[in-house]
Amino acid sequence: MKYAVRTILDARAELAEGPFWDEEDQHLYWVNINAGEIHRCDPSPGTDTLVTAGQKVGAAVLDREGNFIAAGEKGFFRLSSEGGDSEEIASPETDNPDSRFNDGKCDPAGRFWAGTMSLSRTTGTAALYCLDEKGAVSRRVEGVTVSNGLAWDLKRSLMFYIDTPTKCVVAFSCNMENGEISSPRIAFSTPPELGSPDGMTIDDEGMLWIAFYRGACVARWNPENGEMIEQVGIPAPHVTSCCFGGKDRATLFVTTARQGMDPEGLRKYPEAGGIFAFEPGVSGAPGYRYRG
């Protein structure tokens, strides 16, 4: 099926990531990781404001008071929506100079999950962490290399997770009451020619939407049988993540990057690093605020 993919914001960001649609204020939030920026975008007029965090930011959500809860270079911190000094919550990776935090989001119970990545891509040296409602941080998955996409199924009994170099989506059994995960299994693998699986979300039919870095696309997958249902081209080679939002959460917002692109690539994809959107014909999961 052909979709009308449009540019929401010609941001030309080096590394746009972590799109988060807030149901309360109806805005799209996203981060420019290496610049240490947290952005607030109104998609209709395409306006965008930002605050700087003073460190790289892999992901950011809002808490109940409207402050940012973010995953930074080495840990979790709180930052006013107006900017200013940040407040450290926990820094579990200060002893690992080869890591920074990467993608993350809140589960339906309001816990903030975020993982790290090895800057040198050393296999198995990163991890996935959870910041619970009491402000305690625990390591939930070890042996990770580049922690990325997260999604929870409609019954809230499964958590889907991507460690990018594995090119697999892993399903964990999860207990939403206490946040415990167990029994990991490979739900499906993605073909190497599609690029590297990055950020992820889930629609209201239980299908996963995955952004493919170096793949210039997002693709929809059935996690029960591993079938790729459809592939949607994005006018940027490095597609980083996606989320549902807008009216009735019927729009898929897509973030991209322009890092590492040469002049020829930038001529071919001048809007790389922008924020894109299209209507996929299905609504999807909301963004959740941190409930700490």
Side-chain angles (χ1 to χ4, degrees):
M1 183 180 294
K2 293 282 188 179
Y3 295 101
V5 177
R6 63 190 182 279
T7 304
I8 293 298
L9 189 68
D10 187 13
R12 306 198 179 192
E14 180 186 11
L15 185 50
E17 252 279 14
F20 160 67
W21 179 263
D22 186 64
E23 291 286 286
E24 292 187 33
D25 74 357
Q26 294 287 292
H27 279 75
L28 178 73
Y29 293 83
W30 59 279
V31 299
N32 189 2
I33 293 179
N34 293 334
E37 299 170 348
I38 305 173
H39 291 251
R40 180 178 185 263
C41 175
D42 186 340
S44 296
T47 57
D48 186 76
T49 60
L50 67 89
V51 299
T52 57
Q55 60 177 297
K56 295 177 181 178
V57 183
V61 296
L62 296 174
D63 66 10
R64 289 180 293 185
E65 287 73 43
N67 298 308
F68 292 116
I69 303 295
E73 291 187 38
K74 297 300 178 185
F76 298 91
F77 65 91
R78 179 180 283 104
L79 179 70
S80 166
S81 60
E82 305 299 321
D85 294 334
S86 61
E87 173 193 349
E88 180 181 305
I89 298 173
S91 295
E93 294 235 345
T94 53
D95 60 343
N96 186 356
D98 184 47
S99 75
R100 70 160 170 81
F101 269 82
N102 199 40
D103 201 4
K105 65 176 63 171
C106 285
D107 67 21
R111 306 175 190 91
F112 185 32
W113 297 72
T116 54
M117 61 175 285
S118 166
L119 299 176
S120 65
R121 304 301 192 270
T122 302
T123 302
T125 60
L128 176 67
Y129 295 86
C130 179
L131 174 67
D132 71 16
E133 66 279 7
K134 297 179 181 178
V137 173
S138 56
R139 184 179 296 189
R140 297 304 184 86
V141 182
E142 297 184 331
V144 174
T145 305
V146 180
S147 186
N148 256 313
L150 290 158
W152 288 266
D153 76 332
L154 305 183
K155 295 180 180 179
R156 301 182 178 181
S157 62
L158 293 175
M159 184 185 84
F160 298 103
Y161 177 57
I162 294 172
D163 177 8
T164 290
T166 69
K167 292 184 166 48
C168 294
V169 175
V170 174
F172 291 83
S173 297
C174 71
N175 184 326
M176 199 53 62
E177 289 188 8
N178 60 23
E180 293 298 320
I181 58 174
S182 61
S183 306
R185 60 175 175 83
I186 295 176
F188 60 92
S189 299
T190 62
E193 60 270 19
L194 206 58
S196 298
D198 203 319
M200 173 171 60
T201 190
I202 193 167
D203 65 33
D204 288 338
E205 294 179 356
M207 304 297 109
L208 295 170
W209 291 81
I210 301 174
F212 282 87
Y213 197 89
R214 300 188 185 91
C217 71
V218 293
R220 188 183 190 219
W221 297 78
N222 184 335
E224 293 188 1
N225 60 18
E227 174 191 1
M228 186 176 74
I229 301 167
E230 56 187 327
Q231 180 180 338
V232 181
I234 303 296
H238 303 329
V239 185
T240 57
S241 193
C242 54
C243 76
F244 283 94
K247 184 179 180 182
D248 301 322
R249 297 194 305 276
T251 298
L252 192 72
F253 294 101
V254 182
T255 53
T256 67
R258 63 198 284 121
Q259 65 176 4
M261 293 180 63
D262 59 22
E264 181 180 351
L266 291 171
R267 282 193 294 271
K268 183 178 180 180
Y269 297 102
E271 293 183 305
I275 313 299
F276 301 91
F278 65 94
E279 280 64 49
V282 63
S283 58
Y288 301 102
R289 288 193 178 196
Y290 174 63
R291 298 180 188 173

